[in-house]
């Protein structure tokens, strides 16, 4: 009898359909049955001796929530008979419903070997406990996980012992993840956590990778990539990372129609073993990043979400270095501007544009503390040869050592994104808000930009939230607090002058934070209004973990 190894994960939902992802221990037919009579089935497919199914469910009623169960070959496997959690549900948005979008990044399932200081309560675990305690209460309509869902280079003691039992950890990548099988171990460790497992079964999720999903500093520079490709273990590592990301994360990001049109998914489902097809796809994506698009779009009523790949889509040549390759940049502009229209903004939902709120999800923040921005821009100039070959070599060492590879380290891309956001937020049909949602930097903040000579009609904000569950050393706290200060800003300007850096096309100010801790941000979007709430996971005196609100404000 087939058994459930991992999942179910409720992934895509809209007003009438949904997808549910599962991993099973053998080939089988997976079925989802909803209490309202909706159902769907899918036969499992095989990748590297693992079996998966992505079940499409049609016939759902907009604006409703229905309990569901999962069956494998006709036998019920979810919910477990001894579950302490409420039944999992599929909730579909209605035409007039608002949206609650929760987001964050950087989650250790367990602290890595050696530890890095106090970690504290897991914000996803704590969110799950709150939702489970009041299943009919307020919950997120979608959860955006903005990178570092797993850590391939910072593994727990338990995973380290497991890896040491299957290969020699003195060779290759050592006690980091080496291949597809070891990647599956990371997902089991993360998603079998009881609270997280239940939360992901009942709250739809959208995901995008960041560096630790493959390795720290992934695609920092052309020189970095050349050094990695010279090792005898990197090829297997990156192919396994991309393969596992496609299976465990990317498939669930897509709608049933997109899945039906995906030739790789068709090939994998029709094959007795899809391993070679997915491996060839990953090899092509690694060799020619422009041949694959990991970015995607989701529309939730009058809210448009664009999840942007800011890792694999980079152009790394120093003389034309960009965060997004030309095709990716063109796709992003097309998705932002599609359906903007020429209507008037009368304060209602009939404002003429295709959406009232634009969310741009990118794992790396666009707007950083001013000192960090200036140092990254300076470093890009040094590495590009602005001060000669000696400074270029020094700049490369600093870039890798200090992780200087955010949007500000790609100055032309930083300016291009700013111009696109200003265009999107200006003129007839402009949305009420444009929010750039990011993580990565292990603190949370709100920053608001302004453009010389133009004032967008939309409220524009950089909303950064991380970590979900990770350590935040004192050095990070002190460094980022200083990075936002006036003296740091003056220092940054001096550093930028040394690099002969052109001033950025946009200025910005911090309007919230910095906040430190394990945390989740939630945007509540209703009509033309937007409200932001930041909550941190904390331990009460009795040891109970709770989410405490540390910021709650209107954005639009």
């Amino acid at each position: 009898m087939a058994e459930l190894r991992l999942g179910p994960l409720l992934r895509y939902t809209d007003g009438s359909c949904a997808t549910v992802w599962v991993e099973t221990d053998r080939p089988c037919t997976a079925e989802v049955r909803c209490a309202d009579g909706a159902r769907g089935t899918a036969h499992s497919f095989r990748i590297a001796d693992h079996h998966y199914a992505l079940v499409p469910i049609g016939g759902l009623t907009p604006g409703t929530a229905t309990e569901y169960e999962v069956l494998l070959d006709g036998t019920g496997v979810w919910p477990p008979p001894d579950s302490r959690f409420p039944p999992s549900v599929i909730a579909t948005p209605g035409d007039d419903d608002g949206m609650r979008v929760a987001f964050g990044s950087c989650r250790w399932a367990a602290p890595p070997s050696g530890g890095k200081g106090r970690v504290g309560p897991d914000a996803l675990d704590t969110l799950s406990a709150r939702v489970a305690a009041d299943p009919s209460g307020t919950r997120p309509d979608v959860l955006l996980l903005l990178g570092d869902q797993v850590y391939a280079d910072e593994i727990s003691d338990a995973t380290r012992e497991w890896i040491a039992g299957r290969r020699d950890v003195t060779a290759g990548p050592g006690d980091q993840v080496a291949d597809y099988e070891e990647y599956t171990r990371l997902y089991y460790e993360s998603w079998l956590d009881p609270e997280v497992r239940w939360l992901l079964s009942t709250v739809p999720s959208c995901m995008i990778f960041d560096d630790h999903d493959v390795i720290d500093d992934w695609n920092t520079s052309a020189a970095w990539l050349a050094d990695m490709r010279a090792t005898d273990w990197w090829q297997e590592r990156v192919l396994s990372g991309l393969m596992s990301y496609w299976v465990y994360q990317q498939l669930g990001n897509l709608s049933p129609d997109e899945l039906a049109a995906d030739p790789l998914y068709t090939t994998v489902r029709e094959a007795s073993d899809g391993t070679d097809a997915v491996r060839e796809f990953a090899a092509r994506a690694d060799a020619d990043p422009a041949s694959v698009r990991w970015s995607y779009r989701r529309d939730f009523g009058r809210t448009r979400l664009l999840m942007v790949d800011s890792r694999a889509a980079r152009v790394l040549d120093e003389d034309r270095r960009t965060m997004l390759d030309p095709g990716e940049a063109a796709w992003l502009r097309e998705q932002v501007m599609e359906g903007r229209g020429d209507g008037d903004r009368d304060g209602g939902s009939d404002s003429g544009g295709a959406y009232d709120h634009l969310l741009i999800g990118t794992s790396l923040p666009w707007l950083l503390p001013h000192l960090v921005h200036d140092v990254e821009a300076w470093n890009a100039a040094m590495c590009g040869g602005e001060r000669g070959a000696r400074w270029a070599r020094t700049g490369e060492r600093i870039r890798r050592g200090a992780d200087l590879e955010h949007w500000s380290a790609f100055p032309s891309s930083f300016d291009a994104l700013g111009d696109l956001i200003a265009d999107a937020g200006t003129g007839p049909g402009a949305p009420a808000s444009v929010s750039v949602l990011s993580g990565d930097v292990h603190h949370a903040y709100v920053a608001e930009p302004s453009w010389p000579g133009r004032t967008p009609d939309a409220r524009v904000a950089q909303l950064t939230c991380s970590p979900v569950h990770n350590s935040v050393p004192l050095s990070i706290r002190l460094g980022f607090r200083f990075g936002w200060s006036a003296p740091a800003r003056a220092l940054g300007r001096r550093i930028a002058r040394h690099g002969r850096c052109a001033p950025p096309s946009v200025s910005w100010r911090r309007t919230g934070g910095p906040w430190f801790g394990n945390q989740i941000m939630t945007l509540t979007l209703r009509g033309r209004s937007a409200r932001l709430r930041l909550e941190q996971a904390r331990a009460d005196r009795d040891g109970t973990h709770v989410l405490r609100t540390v910021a709650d404000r209107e954005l639009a």
Side-chain angles (χ1 to χ4, degrees), residues 360-378:
I360 299 175
T362 167
S363 61
L364 302 173
W366 171 52
L367 303 178
L368 285 165
H370 296 95
L371 175 59
V372 179
H373 175 96
D374 289 335
V375 168
E376 292 200 355
W378 166 85

Side-chain angles (χ1 to χ4, degrees), residues 113-187:
S113 301
K116 289 191 176 182
R118 181 179 179 274
V119 177
D122 186 327
L124 276 193
D125 277 354
T126 311
L127 174 63
S128 176
R130 185 174 71 185
V131 174
D134 184 13
S136 61
T138 300
R139 64 168 69 193
D141 294 298
V142 64
L143 177 63
L144 310 186
L145 299 176
L146 294 168
D148 296 345
Q149 274 69 262
V150 294
Y151 280 71
D153 52 354
E154 297 181 14
I155 61 175
S156 68
D157 288 328
T159 296
R160 186 178 186 276
E161 292 175 8
W162 178 82
I163 288 175
R166 69 184 300 267
R167 62 172 172 85
D168 180 6
V169 296
T170 64
D175 61 0
Q176 298 183 15
V177 166
D179 57 23
Y180 187 90
E181 185 64 28
E182 292 176 10
Y183 263 103
T184 67
R185 169 78 182 199
L186 297 184
Y187 284 102

Side-chain angles (χ1 to χ4, degrees), residues 198-352:
W198 179 80
L199 182 71
L200 293 178
S201 78
T202 199
V203 175
S205 54
C206 299
M207 307 181 188
I208 194 71
F209 46 49
D210 198 24
D211 55 345
H212 290 285
D213 291 82
V214 176
I215 193 171
D216 190 24
D217 298 339
W218 181 29
N219 284 342
T220 287
S221 66
W224 176 92
L225 185 57
D227 287 349
M228 297 303 295
R229 286 177 171 170
T231 69
D232 60 2
W233 56 267
W234 170 248
Q235 183 73 359
E236 185 61 35
R237 168 72 158 271
V238 70
L239 295 191
S240 297
L242 294 174
M243 290 173 66
S244 61
Y245 176 78
W246 184 81
V247 171
Y248 285 84
Q249 298 191 51
Q250 179 69 358
L251 280 179
N253 292 329
L254 306 179
S255 71
D257 287 345
E258 289 170 323
L259 290 166
D262 187 327
L264 176 61
Y265 185 56
T266 299
T267 297
V268 166
R269 291 186 65 204
E270 293 176 351
S272 58
D273 188 330
T275 307
D276 289 345
V278 178
R279 189 175 181 85
E280 290 169 6
F281 167 82
R284 185 170 68 252
D286 178 53
D288 180 14
S291 68
V292 173
R293 175 161 298 123
W294 300 106
S295 302
Y296 58 96
R297 167 179 154 182
R298 293 286 307 277
D299 286 341
F300 303 94
R302 299 280 301 175
T303 297
R304 178 167 298 176
L305 167 66
L306 300 173
M307 290 287 262
V308 180
D309 164 19
S310 52
R311 278 291 168 187
R314 299 177 176 188
V315 176
L316 298 177
D317 296 343
E318 293 296 342
D319 59 348
R320 58 189 187 97
R321 181 177 165 87
T322 56
M323 182 67 85
L324 307 179
D325 65 57
E328 194 81 5
W331 175 87
L332 179 59
R333 173 166 284 275
E334 177 184 349
Q335 302 306 312
V336 167
M337 302 307 293
E338 181 184 300
R340 269 289 311 276
D342 297 315
D344 59 359
R345 294 176 309 283
D346 58 7
S349 61
D350 297 327
S351 56

